[in-house]
Structure formats: structure tokens, C-alpha cells
Amino acid sequence: MLRSHLTSLIAQVNARPRTRDAILAAVYLVIGFVLLQFGGYGMWATGLAIPATGLWSAESGFLVLLLLMSALALLRSSRPVLVVALAAPLAAADLLLGSSIGVVLLFADFVYCAFRYSSDRSVRLLLAVIAAVIAITAVVLIVLPGVSVRVVTISLQWALIVLIGALWGWNVRSERQRTRAEMDSEHRRATRLLRQRIAHDLHDLVANQIAVAGLNIEATRLLDIGDDVEAGLARAAAGTDEAHRQLRRLIAVLTTVDDLAEETAPPALGDLAARVPTGRALIPEGADLDAALEALPRSAGIAMRAVQELLTNAVKHGRGDIVLRTTTEMDEVIVEIENSIAARDSVLGSGIGIPGAALLLDSIQATLASEPIDESRWRARMTLIREAAHV
């Protein structure tokens, strides 16, 4: 409970940059003040003639500089380049006094923030300024005679401080950009998969229902007036109602991604028989399809989607009754759909039904083979692996 509360609190603080900067400014101020109390100043020789005691002592100077640097920390992530520009003369004044650990830590953090939060243009400008300062300092140290080793050492130490802050900020910046690029790539991939799924849903759940309804109407036109006509029209109406329901569900998916997690129950064998138009029949053979798919609880929905597509394909492009044969083996469930091949001038297909069903089955490690048996018969064979339900 405590861990989750702390995690939530940290997330809330990170979501508010100004609050985060204020907290860090207070932390730096407390740390710097404690270090001053324990003698964390005067690391280098004092360059100014400031009294050791009194109101304007070196200690009070370090404290004033610490307060000013801590105030600048309030803008460390919102105005990082401006903060570095204002902090540089304060750090130089601190150096003249002999340097304090608190001010040095704050300046290193400001350099880090400048490289992490600034724009690319600002980073390039900052790199140019740092390179220019380094070059000017190097030239001065080389040209001026009698430069002490201590001055060279201090210059190298400050160069190292700036380098550590810059490299740290640059590394975090690079990691953030890389993560953002990976997230963008993942988002594009997820969007592409979502579009593919919606396209297959439109084809499998809507277009097929409308096609079956149309076939029922065409078959009913060839019958005499009577109960068969009423049954055919009822099937056509049921198909259009189902298409309308599925279309509304897909519209909901387009408006809220959360609906993707909602899975509809797979249809039963009786629902599949309703897809066959009046005058034709679905003839089940072998094992019970519903019972066979119970052994594949995680794959049953996708498997039935594929069966729906194959059955609709047989209805649209075949003639006569359709045989649905289910065979159960030790490691496999085999579903076959056979039908007579219709005349060449039958309904033309879109060419995406069978590949779409194959893609669905591939996601559950199943296979599909759809090919003619001879000149008059066609068979689609779907092989489901039992272990696929546990992967």
C-alpha cells in the first residue's frame, strides 16, 4: 500500500514540472545550507579580499549565492538555457570566493537540464557557447605568462563538472528521443493492425451477412408463394439485422478503442445453418463442432470466425448443399467444408475472404487449405492445434 501510494505521488509530481522544480529547489537549498554549516565551501583559494567574519564575510557571500541559485532552480526545466545564462556569473562569483559545494551542484544540474529539456536549436547554441568558452580559456592559459598550476587545475575541474552535467543531460535526452521514436513506431503498428482488424471485421461480419441476405432473397424469388418464401424472407431479414448490429459494433470500436477488448461469443452450429439460403442445407458430419471447439477455449472465437467466412464463401461461390465435417484427433481438430462448384458466371468475390480467414487462423497457430477436390467439388480444410489454446 505504501509503495503504490509513493508511486502515485511521484507520478503526480512528475506531471507538474513547476511543482517538481520547486521541490528540487528546496532540496538543493537545504543540502547546500547543511554543507555550508559543515564547512562545504572554500574548496579553492579565495581570490577576493573579504573579511573572514562579520556581516559581509565569505560565509554570508556563499549563503547569498546559494539562495540566488536555489531561486533559479524554480525555472530549471521550463527555462533551462536562461537559467544557465543567469547562473554562470553567480558560479563565477562563487569561484572567486573559493567555491561552495552547493552552488557547484546546482550549476551542474542546470547544465544537465539545459541539455535535457531544451530544443535542438538551443542545445546546438549551448554547445557552441561551451566550445567557445573552452577555447578562449585554453588560449588564455597558454598565452598568459606565469599561470599557476592551481589555476589550470581549477579550470580542468570546472570543465569536468560542465562535461558531466552535459553528458548526463545528453544521454537522458537521447534515451527520451529513442523511447519516443519506439512509441511512435509501436503506435503506428498498432494503428495499422487496428485498421486491418476493422477491415476484416467489415468483410467477415457485415459484408458476408449482407451477401447471405441477398442470396436468400434471390433464392426466394425462384420459389412458389408459400411458407418457403416466408422462411427465405425471414432469413434475409435476420441477415440484414445481424449486419446492422455488427456495423453498429464496429462504429463503437472506431469511437472507443476500449471496445476492442469486448469479444462476442462464437456462434453455434444452428447460427451457421442460418447462413445457408433457402433451398440449400448445411449438412454436419463427424464430430460435433461446438463440442470439438470447447477444447480450444481461447481459439474458439477466431476458429468460428474462420468457419463463418469459409461457409459464406461456399454459399456465394458454390451450389447445392454444403457439408461441414468435423474430425477430432489427439492433437488436432480438423474442420472441412465441401460444396459443389457453381457455374463460371457466378458471383465474383473480393479476393480477401480466404486470405483474411488464413490470417485469423495464423494468429492461433492454425492452418487453412482451400482448393478443388476435382472438377465439380471444392473443399476448404482448417486444422486447429489443441495446444494453441494454452500458448
Side-chain angles (χ1 to χ4, degrees), residues 34-336:
V34 171
L35 290 174
L36 286 177
Q37 295 300 312
F38 285 91
Y41 59 89
M43 297 179 293
W44 295 298
T46 302
L48 296 180
I50 297 179
T53 58
L55 180 62
W56 301 108
S57 64
E59 289 84 352
S60 60
F62 286 129
L63 180 59
V64 170
L65 291 172
L66 177 64
L67 291 172
L68 294 175
M69 293 286 284
S70 299
L72 289 177
L74 295 172
L75 303 174
R76 59 188 291 275
S77 61
S78 58
R79 297 287 188 272
V81 176
L82 176 63
V83 168
V84 170
L86 295 177
L90 297 179
D94 182 76
L95 175 61
L96 293 177
L97 293 178
S99 290
S100 60
I101 298 178
V103 172
V104 172
L105 289 176
L106 278 164
F107 188 77
D109 179 72
F110 294 161
V111 175
Y112 158 78
C113 291
F115 277 88
R116 177 180 177 181
Y117 297 112
S118 299
S119 63
D120 292 341
R121 180 180 179 182
S122 298
V123 170
R124 290 193 296 268
L125 176 62
L126 190 60
L127 284 173
V129 172
I130 292 176
V133 171
I134 292 176
I136 293 173
T137 304
V139 170
V140 170
L141 293 178
I142 295 174
V143 172
L144 287 181
V147 176
S148 66
V149 177
R150 187 171 185 82
V151 174
V152 176
T153 303
I154 293 174
S155 300
L156 292 177
Q157 288 173 340
W158 266 100
L160 182 62
I161 291 171
V162 173
L163 180 63
I164 291 174
L167 290 178
W168 186 16
W170 183 274
N171 182 64
V172 175
R173 178 189 185 87
S174 300
E175 286 296 319
R176 183 179 61 179
Q177 292 177 343
R178 183 180 63 83
T179 302
R180 183 180 299 171
E182 291 179 354
M183 292 178 64
D184 290 342
S185 177
E186 179 64 22
H187 175 70
R188 288 193 296 269
R189 188 186 69 84
T191 302
R192 184 174 62 255
L193 292 177
L194 175 61
R195 289 174 178 173
Q196 290 177 352
R197 174 172 177 174
I198 292 174
H200 287 302
D201 283 350
L202 284 171
H203 179 269
D204 297 345
L205 302 178
V206 179
N208 286 344
Q209 290 287 349
I210 296 175
V212 171
L215 290 174
N216 274 292
I217 294 173
E218 290 297 326
T220 303
R221 292 174 58 190
L222 302 177
L223 299 175
D224 295 332
I225 302 299
D227 294 338
D228 289 339
V229 175
E230 293 182 1
L233 292 176
R235 287 190 177 185
T240 54
D241 290 342
E242 176 65 16
H244 182 255
R245 187 183 70 83
Q246 295 291 353
L247 184 59
R248 288 176 61 88
R249 188 181 73 85
L250 290 174
I251 292 174
V253 171
L254 289 171
T255 54
T256 168
V257 180
D258 293 337
D259 285 353
L260 289 174
E262 180 183 353
E263 294 291 341
T264 56
L269 184 59
D271 299 327
L272 294 177
R275 288 176 172 264
V276 180
T278 303
R280 301 170 66 180
L282 177 65
I283 303 175
E285 293 184 357
D288 181 74
L289 178 62
D290 296 331
L293 293 182
E294 288 181 357
L296 306 171
R298 300 182 182 179
S299 306
I302 294 178
M304 289 302 291
R305 281 276 303 276
V307 171
Q308 283 181 316
E309 170 57 36
L310 296 176
L311 179 59
T312 303
N313 195 67
V315 169
K316 292 168 60 177
H317 306 294
R319 58 183 176 84
D321 297 338
I322 301 172
V323 176
L324 176 63
R325 183 180 301 108
T326 305
T327 306
T328 57
E329 298 181 358
M330 182 175 297
D331 299 328
E332 296 177 343
V333 175
I334 301 174
V335 181
E336 295 178 326

